Amino acid sequence: QVQLVESGGALVQPGGSLRLSCAASGDIVGRYVIGWFRQAPGKEREGVACRFVYGSPYYADSVKGRFTISRDDVKSTVYLQMNSLRPEDTAVYYCAASQTTAVRTVCLGTAPTYWGQGTQVTVSS
């Protein structure tokens, strides 16, 4: 059983930066793809960034070059560094995990097995 707890959401001005954290309980090392998803009001959920313990991460086109996903498996924590934030990045951000190595499949297709409760990110002046 994996439990995920997000933190770090806040109100930030356009062009600003924010780092989200996802603390995972359970044995995720070397077994789970972990990703960040977001959902804005009236929009479908979007896979933002996903990665396994090794290999290349996946990023949605809308965040490439601005967001970075990283994971510290010793601390069982996954981070999403968000730079150059835009109003359209406003959403509830969720951390999610699946016991697989298929990074793109998790972000683009099959819904992850485990979800956190979400954290609100608002980009506004």
Side-chain angles (χ1 to χ4, degrees):
Q1 184 75 15
V2 173
Q3 292 184 323
L4 305 168
V5 179
E6 303 97 332
S7 61
L11 169 64
V12 62
Q13 292 188 342
S17 296
L18 207 57
R19 188 177 81 160
L20 305 182
S21 299
C22 171
S25 63
D27 180 14
I28 65 169
V29 177
R31 296 172 58 195
Y32 288 82
V33 167
I34 297 186
W36 288 94
F37 296 75
R38 67 185 181 186
Q39 188 162 23
K43 294 189 176 181
E44 291 190 358
R45 185 180 65 205
E46 175 186 24
V48 174
C50 296
R51 74 171 300 157
F52 189 53
V53 68
Y54 54 82
S56 299
Y58 165 85
Y59 293 100
D61 288 342
S62 56
V63 306
K64 278 181 183 176
R66 301 188 298 122
F67 290 11
T68 302
I69 184 172
S70 60
R71 51 189 289 168
D72 184 337
D73 287 309
V74 173
K75 296 182 179 179
S76 292
T77 301
V78 178
Y79 304 97
L80 185 68
Q81 178 66 43
M82 305 185 294
N83 299 326
S84 302
L85 282 162
R86 306 167 180 169
E88 54 263 38
D89 294 318
T90 296
V92 177
Y93 283 71
Y94 298 90
C95 177
S98 281
Q99 191 172 354
T100 178
T101 61
V103 174
R104 286 179 60 86
T105 299
V106 172
C107 249
L108 293 176
T110 305
T113 305
Y114 303 102
W115 290 87
Q117 81 288 351
T119 186
Q120 176 70 46
V121 172
T122 302
V123 185
S124 175
S125 55

